[in-house]
Amino acid sequence: MTATTGEPASVAARASDVWKVYGSGEAQVMALRGVSAEFERGRFTAIMGPSGSGKSTLMHCLAGLDTVTRGTVQVGETTVTGLGDAGLTKLRRDKVGFIFQQFNLLPTLTAKENILLPLSIAGRKPDPAWYDVVIETVGLRDRLDHRPAQLSGGQQQRVACARALVARPEVIFADEPTGNLDSRSGAEVLNFLRNSVREHGQTIVMVTHDPTAAAYADRVVFLADGQIVSELIEPTADTVLDTMKKLDTPAEVAR
Amino acid sequence: MFRATLKSLLARKVRLVLSGLAVVLGVMFVSGAFVLTDTLGRSFDSLFADAYAEVDVNVAAKPKLAVNEFEGEQLQTPFPASVVDTVRAVPGVAEATGTVVADGARLIGSNGKVVASFGPPQLGGNWVGEGDLVQLREGREPRADDEIVINKGLADAGRVAVGDRVGVLTLAPRKDFTIVGIFGYSGDRDSLGGVNEVMFTTPTAQQLMLGEPGAFNNIVVTAASGVSDESLRDAVAAAVGDDYVVKTGEQLSADAAAGLKEGLTFFNRILLGFAAVALLVGTFLILNTFSIIVAQRTRELALLRAVGASARQIIGSVVLEAIAIGLIASLFGLAAGIGIGALLAYLFSNLAGGMALAGIAVPASAVIGAFGVGLVITVLAALLPALRAARIPPIAAMQDVATPDRPLTKITIAGAVVTSVGAVLLFLGLGGHAGGNTLATILGGVLFAFIGVALLTPLISKPVVAALGAVFSGWVPGKLGRLNSGRNPRRTAITAAALMVGIALVTGITVILDSAKSSISGLVQDNVRAELVIAGAQSGPRPPSFDPAVLDQTKAIPGVRLVDGQYGDIALLGDQRTWVGAVTEPAAMRQVYGATPVAGDIDRLAAGQMMISSDAAESRGLSVGSTVPVQFARGEPQTYTVTGVYESSPILGPVIMPADAARNFSITQPIQAFIQLEPGARVADVLPRVEALLANSPEVSVADRDAFIEEQTGQLDSLLTMIQILLALAIVIAVLGIINTLALSVLERTRELGLLRAIGLRRSQTMGMITVEAVVISVFGALLGVAVGTGLGAAVVEALREEGINKLVLPWGQMGIFLGLAALIGVIAAVLPAIRAARINVLGAIAHD
Ligand SMILES: Nc1ncnc2c1ncn2[C@@H]1O[C@H](COP(=O)(O)OP(=O)(O)O)[C@@H](O)[C@H]1O
Ligand SMILES: [Mg+2]
């Protein structure tokens, strides 16, 4: 399996001059101030920045979970900005996968049912070969009939990853996927995400504030105060930490 | 603690409004019943006070046979005109007027039908002139024997006017009269409480209403000035002797109103019974709401415990919340009840011919009932959840999943015990082993059975919900909905149990009435060998009757083999009141009704002879040759001799006499007749000829046997419809419960719904999921209801086997309708929660903690 999709563009998601303003008047917060960024197909990009810098907001806007105040967002060929609920639902079904920090699974369904849920909702059949590959990579074959309550936090998050992967979306957005995990389970999940990019050409955009997690990515984009301030290709934990330190202005800390 | 309670109350207003609404509806029913009966009671008081305002003292003869409000109008014994002279001679009497007033003057309206009464009497009497109460609106008083005046309400109902020639049915068959005047009552009233009056000349009234020329049945006395009513009453009573009842006008009106109020009390009890059902359902609903609230607040309550709140304080806070809801709901329920009571009183007064309503007041009983019931029910229902809240350990504040699924062992055992107690009570009550408390025992049994089954429901819910949901398993939102409904067995169970109560009662009553219907028609079909029946539909307390001459004329029709005319009334046999039948053709006993002789002769009856059923013979210790003193509604006591005993049968009454006994019945005309044809004679040939004979007896008609059965059992259908309407309230409350449960579930699962939407669930699919959850719960409730109702109904039918209800009919069609209805109820209940779920902001849901 290699990253050969029929689409001509090599960009999986794109933000063009995106502004996001919350509230108004006194309480007004500018979460994003003119962010422009491209996320290439078949790459693992991390979005980093201090708390409150706008990472989640950017991800939500990219994924069509939130509307932008100004600017446009594209996922693949689709212009997300301006889509209605039906359009957004279709986008989420066909083009986008999600991995959240917590509460990721339906407690009533087994692991297998959770993994297949997006496909069954859309009324599609899984590609059996690809399903096998995903299950194999996540390493949960003997846990497929368990319910979330019977799985550890790391296992649950791996099920969530498998669920995002099995539909082969254009891009998977992950918001602090390891935020609730201990370091070993976190490493498992991150390895798994990196492998799915390297071996299967999946596109992943991951929000994190953990330099170790960011080091798993191919590229790191740094946000501060709602703006992209820096970028690293082929990062290591050390280079990320260095960049972070430079960005850590006293004003940000005070926030 | 109090402030904290109040704040949390306000924060959860929507769900509290929903569960409060259940209490509001129940309380509304209770207080509405009290307001209605109080208003009507006071209206009756003022009505009779008006009616007897001009009467200082009234003289009547002691009745031969006292009847109560449910048996019809009291027949007042006639007495000779000389008594009027005796009274007139009493010192202190200014004026004494002999009057005739009796029920049963039925005017035939312009459409050829008798102007029907649905309760109030149809009085016939002698015109004694105008007064303060009665004034002619048109025309003049009756002078000739074929002239009448009638009240305006009757003229309007019958669409007749002054100058019209109309037929009137009385003790005698139809006679025709000219309307020469129309009168009304003071205060511009057309009728007094729906009573209609036909006034004849005195001799005609004596003849037609009393059957005794020259007799009266009341004397209206006015006192000379300076003489008090009471002293006049005593003086008159002394003059006329012990055979007469002498009352002041005030006493008379109080007694008359008291009679009607007895009926009202009965009516009030029925309404309260339905209110009790509504409140039972409401209890389930409140219990559920508080359980959910406590479960949702587990962390918060645990935190309170961790920072030092005592278990008592926790219980107190939950109970305080319940009291607040109970108070508010009772207040609203009371207000709504006053409105409903006033509205019903208004409708009733319109039905009763524009009876003047006394002002609407709120009796203490309504207020006490409202707050008592509302508060007690709410607090009682909140008590269990409160105790559970108190058991939450402080550590729960630190744990993630606070309440693991508790095992169902305890609740199941409790359910089994309570259900058994219910079954035992039902067995005792229905089997007649409950001493004098049969009704209370049966009702207690039903209540226990409901609560017991509700407790067992969580256990049953798993397999049943799974089976029900299998229908939807091919559809992803459906499958999710089904899984959600199985998620919290207790919650699903109580919600479903609330619906169960209403549906079980409706099903049970349908089973009983359908079984009765089919048993009755089976009995008639198997035992009555008559091709034609003369009978009428009864609208008020008085059964329809017809001209006895028709019987002989019918017998003369070629092809008719046998005609048996039947009369009926209550009579005093020895010292026991009994329903007595009189027949024109004793031979019909065997030939038409298939009676089996046990002793003596049951084929003939001469004057002074009677035959009795084997049960009556046994219970009274009578046998052929026994003599029994009999007092009828009219006439002097007589002695009857038993000449035959027949085997008891549900279609034969306990006592049968020859037709001449009917002379002394309150209704002296036949009320039914069975016609047997010669072999080979055709119904189609005979029927029109009998029909022609009945032209002057518009209260009855002739029908073939099937139509007769249809008509007889049709009355059960309208009873069923009425009960269903009243029980609909219980079902409405159950629907509120389903809405409530769903709304809470949607709220609880906001995050999950957000996740589902995030991975591509459409709005419509989200709504489908919630709807399936609702449908599964409501169909489950209906299934339970149908099952429990069938059980209860079958038990009652079994107990009534002796009474002739020997066929158990299960209304499959109706049950199917209930299940379908339940599915529809589920869909309706899901609308709001589903819209709410579909509107959930995806980002808000997953970003929210
Ligand atoms: N719904 C909202 N309403 C108002 N302000 C918000 C909202 N969501 C985020 N913000 C603000 O926007 C800024 C960026 O937030 P966020 O994207 O969550 O930061 P990060 O994920 O980098 O920690 C913060 O200042 C936050 O307070
Ligand atoms: Mg964030």
Side-chain angles (χ1 to χ4, degrees):
Chain A
M1 285 280 163
T2 42
T4 41
T5 49
E7 310 241 352
S10 62
V11 174
R14 172 188 285 129
S16 316
D17 189 28
V18 166
W19 291 70
K20 179 68 190 178
V21 182
Y22 287 113
S24 58
E26 288 273 306
Q28 184 167 333
V29 179
M30 285 224 206
L32 297 177
R33 316 161 182 251
V35 173
S36 295
E38 288 184 348
F39 301 92
E40 288 130 296
R41 196 176 297 282
R43 291 193 67 179
F44 187 179
T45 312
I47 301 175
M48 278 223 64
S51 181
S53 57
K55 307 181 293 290
S56 295
T57 306
L58 176 60
M59 195 203 92
H60 293 152
C61 289
L62 283 169
L65 288 174
D66 208 350
T67 53
V68 300
T69 310
R70 225 172 78 194
T72 50
V73 171
Q74 273 177 299
V75 171
E77 297 287 84
T78 316
T79 303
V80 177
T81 317
L83 280 181
D85 183 71
L88 285 173
T89 305
K90 192 165 156 33
L91 176 85
R92 294 198 287 260
R93 273 188 181 184
D94 304 340
K95 303 254 160 98
V96 178
F98 292 103
I99 303 165
F100 304 110
Q101 186 173 350
Q102 53 178 347
F103 297 109
N104 235 333
L105 304 176
L106 281 207
T108 49
L109 302 181
T110 61
K112 180 177 177 181
E113 287 169 326
N114 263 296
I115 292 172
L116 292 177
L117 189 60
L119 288 176
S120 22
I121 285 175
R124 281 194 267 143
K125 288 258 169 295
D127 167 354
W130 176 236
Y131 171 74
D132 253 13
V133 170
V134 170
I135 296 300
E136 205 49 57
T137 350
V138 207
L140 282 170
R141 199 171 284 286
D142 52 338
R143 294 298 169 100
L144 285 178
D145 291 328
H146 291 208
R147 291 191 195 279
Q150 300 164 308
L151 297 175
S152 73
Q155 287 167 334
Q156 287 187 33
Q157 201 59 307
R158 269 147 60 197
V159 171
C161 294
R163 184 187 61 205
L165 275 170
V166 84
R168 294 218 228 186
E170 195 101 358
V171 46
I172 291 177
F173 292 102
D175 191 353
E176 314 254 11
T178 56
N180 269 11
L181 303 179
D182 61 65
S183 56
R184 219 190 102 213
S185 313
E188 271 171 21
V189 167
L190 288 165
N191 262 320
F192 171 70
L193 290 178
R194 182 166 61 186
N195 287 346
S196 61
V197 173
R198 299 247 164 106
E199 290 165 25
H200 308 298
Q202 182 62 54
T203 311
I204 296 178
V205 177
M206 173 179 77
V207 165
T208 182
H209 66 262
D210 172 11
T212 330
Y216 280 81
D218 301 324
R219 169 185 170 222
V220 185
V221 173
F222 290 88
L223 270 183
D225 235 356
Q227 282 170 315
I228 294 189
V229 286
S230 180
E231 191 178 323
L232 275 177
I233 308 287
E234 304 295 334
T236 66
D238 291 337
T239 54
V240 173
L241 204 59
D242 281 347
T243 316
M244 284 292 281
K245 274 187 186 141
K246 278 184 232 149
L247 298 175
D248 236 354
T249 63
E252 272 305 319
V253 173
R255 254 173 102 147
Chain B
M1 211 64 195
F2 181 74
R3 278 182 62 114
T5 302
L6 214 68
K7 276 200 170 148
S8 73
L9 247 179
L10 288 175
R12 280 168 281 114
K13 45 187 180 298
V14 178
R15 56 198 105 150
L16 293 176
V17 162
L18 276 170
S19 51
L21 213 52
V23 184
V24 169
L25 289 176
V27 167
M28 176 185 86
F29 223 132
V30 172
S31 49
F34 280 117
V35 169
L36 172 65
T37 46
D38 169 78
T39 307
L40 291 183
R42 282 179 299 109
S43 307
F44 289 144
D45 282 340
S46 76
L47 179 72
F48 288 110
D50 270 10
Y52 297 115
E54 287 168 89
V55 180
D56 289 340
V57 169
N58 185 81
V59 181
K62 280 222 171 93
K64 302 280 186 189
L65 195 72
V67 297
N68 68 32
E69 198 55 40
F70 302 104
E71 292 169 342
E73 288 295 309
Q74 176 72 57
L75 195 77
Q76 289 177 312
T77 309
F79 48 78
S82 58
V83 182
V84 184
D85 299 329
T86 311
V87 171
R88 197 172 287 132
V90 174
V93 170
E95 208 182 315
T97 315
T99 61
V100 174
V101 195
D103 184 26
R106 291 145 291 154
L107 182 117
I108 298 170
S110 63
N111 62 356
K113 295 215 170 75
V114 165
V115 178
S117 153
F118 294 92
Q122 300 159 302
L123 297 180
N126 60 335
W127 177 256
V128 295
E130 293 179 279
D132 290 341
L133 178 67
V134 173
Q135 289 108 26
L136 280 172
R137 300 245 181 102
E138 259 181 86
R140 58 168 175 80
E141 77 281 1
R143 289 173 199 147
D145 286 348
D146 71 339
E147 291 178 350
I148 53 170
V149 294
I150 62 175
N151 68 306
K152 178 81 166 83
L154 178 56
D156 289 347
R159 295 170 180 277
V160 292
V162 169
D164 286 358
R165 191 84 182 151
V166 297
V168 180
L169 308 174
T170 56
L171 283 180
R174 171 177 180 154
K175 285 201 167 16
D176 287 352
F177 298 86
T178 305
I179 300 173
V180 294
I182 288 175
F183 62 92
Y185 306 87
S186 59
D188 203 29
R189 285 171 291 182
D190 296 342
S191 154
L192 289 184
V195 173
N196 286 329
E197 292 193 278
V198 179
M199 296 301 207
F200 308 89
T201 59
T202 301
T204 311
Q206 289 168 330
Q207 177 65 45
L208 296 181
M209 297 314 302
L210 302 179
E212 288 184 34
F216 294 100
N217 66 353
N218 277 278
I219 304 172
V220 174
V221 184
T222 41
S225 58
V227 181
S228 80
D229 291 357
E230 284 73 21
S231 62
L232 184 64
R233 173 194 61 197
D234 297 342
V236 171
V240 291
D242 284 347
D243 288 341
Y244 293 83
V245 186
V246 185
K247 290 179 181 173
T248 62
E250 249 163 63
Q251 278 178 317
L252 200 61
S253 76
D255 290 354
L260 277 182
K261 280 185 194 164
E262 200 182 302
L264 275 183
T265 310
F266 180 71
F267 181 55
N268 193 20
R269 292 230 179 92
I270 292 182
L271 288 181
L272 290 180
F274 284 103
V277 173
L279 285 164
L280 175 65
V281 177
T283 310
F284 284 155
L285 184 47
I286 295 164
L287 177 74
N288 217 10
T289 305
F290 273 92
S291 298
I292 298 172
I293 287 174
V294 166
Q296 285 178 338
R297 282 171 64 195
T298 300
R299 262 167 181 264
E300 182 190 328
L301 292 169
L303 190 67
L304 283 174
R305 294 281 275 141
V307 300
S310 70
R312 251 182 177 200
Q313 280 173 311
I314 299 287
I315 296 179
S317 85
V318 177
V319 170
L320 201 67
E321 201 167 313
I323 291 177
I325 295 174
L327 273 178
I328 296 170
S330 302
L331 202 68
F332 277 101
L334 179 62
I338 294 170
I340 287 278
L343 180 74
L344 288 178
Y346 171 78
L347 291 177
F348 183 93
S349 78
N350 268 6
L351 258 181
M355 179 172 79
L357 271 189
I360 302 292
V362 184
S365 54
V367 179
I368 296 169
F371 283 96
V373 158
L375 269 182
V376 168
I377 292 279
T378 322
V379 171
L380 218 58
L383 218 51
L384 257 158
L387 292 177
R388 199 174 308 140
R391 280 203 303 264
I392 295 173
I395 187 75
M398 272 63 88
Q399 286 166 343
D400 214 23
V401 191
T403 43
D405 238 5
R406 285 166 297 142
L408 298 173
T409 330
K410 264 197 214 157
I411 196 172
T412 305
I413 293 172
V417 170
V418 175
T419 312
S420 312
V421 171
V424 168
L425 286 177
L426 280 173
F427 176 77
L428 291 179
L430 292 174
H433 308 299
N437 302 320
T438 307
L439 187 65
T441 311
I442 293 177
L443 291 181
V446 171
L447 182 70
F448 272 90
F450 279 152
I451 294 176
V453 173
L455 290 172
L456 288 176
T457 310
L459 189 73
I460 320 169
S461 82
K462 270 195 175 160
V464 178
V465 162
L468 279 178
V471 179
F472 302 104
S473 53
W475 181 48
V476 179
K479 183 182 168 193
L480 293 172
R482 182 201 79 194
L483 287 173
N484 283 339
S485 53
R487 218 155 147 173
N488 193 326
R490 280 159 211 265
R491 198 187 291 178
T492 302
I494 297 183
T495 313
L499 186 61
M500 166 193 78
V501 173
I503 298 223
L505 286 174
V506 176
T507 307
I509 288 166
T510 312
V511 167
I512 297 168
L513 290 184
D514 276 8
S515 299
K517 238 169 84 174
S518 137
S519 305
I520 291 172
S521 58
L523 276 171
V524 176
Q525 238 138 24
D526 295 348
N527 296 312
V528 176
R529 288 188 292 275
E531 285 75 17
L532 292 171
V533 184
I534 298 175
Q538 184 168 348
S539 67
R542 186 191 173 87
S545 56
F546 61 94
D547 184 353
V550 171
L551 296 171
D552 285 338
Q553 292 161 355
T554 302
K555 209 166 170 192
I557 298 173
V560 172
R561 179 155 175 260
L562 192 145
V563 178
D564 181 38
Q566 300 190 334
Y567 303 77
D569 198 6
I570 290 170
L572 206 56
L573 261 72
D575 54 2
Q576 270 182 304
R577 297 163 65 87
T578 312
W579 179 258
V580 172
V583 297
T584 57
E585 187 61 83
M589 284 295 287
R590 283 220 270 186
Q591 293 177 28
V592 180
Y593 315 122
T596 318
V598 173
D601 182 357
I602 65 164
D603 292 321
R604 336 140 240 271
L605 280 173
Q609 297 184 334
M610 65 179 188
M611 42 193 170
I612 56 177
S613 71
S614 50
D615 281 353
E618 193 177 323
S619 67
R620 287 155 195 268
L622 297 176
S623 56
V624 171
S626 307
T627 55
V628 187
V630 180
Q631 173 65 62
F632 296 111
R634 301 172 199 271
E636 297 305 311
Q638 310 193 15
T639 304
Y640 274 78
T641 309
V642 177
T643 55
V645 178
Y646 50 85
E647 204 166 292
S648 292
S649 142
I651 59 163
L652 294 169
V655 179
I656 291 171
M657 294 181 170
D660 80 317
R663 232 174 345 112
N664 290 320
F665 284 7
S666 49
I667 294 175
T668 56
Q669 295 183 339
I671 51 185
Q672 267 183 1
F674 291 85
I675 303 167
Q676 193 178 58
L677 302 187
E678 300 278 9
R682 284 179 37 206
V683 167
D685 295 334
V686 180
L687 191 132
R689 302 192 56 175
V690 181
E691 215 160 50
L693 294 175
L694 291 171
N696 283 331
S697 299
E699 282 188 302
V700 297
S701 58
V702 59
D704 61 26
R705 203 176 57 173
D706 289 342
F708 169 70
I709 292 171
E710 191 72 22
E711 200 171 298
Q712 293 293 302
T713 53
Q715 292 167 8
L716 291 178
D717 285 338
S718 25
L719 180 67
L720 185 61
T721 309
M722 240 172 62
I723 293 176
Q724 284 175 343
I725 290 172
L726 284 168
L727 285 176
L729 184 75
I731 295 178
V732 166
I733 293 181
V735 175
L736 287 180
I738 300 175
I739 298 178
N740 200 14
T741 299
L742 287 178
L744 293 174
S745 302
V746 168
L747 212 72
E748 265 177 359
R749 299 186 205 136
T750 304
R751 201 171 241 289
E752 218 175 290
L753 287 162
L755 171 72
L756 280 167
R757 296 273 289 131
I759 61 174
L761 197 70
R762 265 195 242 110
R763 280 206 167 125
S764 55
Q765 288 176 313
T766 312
M767 294 175 77
M769 178 177 85
I770 305 285
T771 307
V772 166
E773 184 175 352
V775 169
V776 167
I777 295 178
S778 60
V779 171
F780 175 43
L783 268 179
L784 277 176
V786 165
V788 173
T790 306
L792 290 176
V796 172
V797 169
E798 184 56 40
L800 290 177
R801 187 167 285 280
E802 293 278 288
E803 318 295 323
I805 304 201
N806 51 11
K807 278 189 198 161
L808 177 63
V809 177
L810 298 186
W812 296 112
Q814 285 267 16
M815 294 183 193
I817 291 175
F818 292 153
L819 291 182
L821 207 68
L824 187 70
I825 282 174
V827 172
I828 293 170
V831 170
L832 287 175
I835 289 177
R836 191 172 174 154
R839 288 233 182 104
I840 279 180
N841 175 309
V842 182
L843 181 61
I846 48 183
H848 134 304
D849 251 327

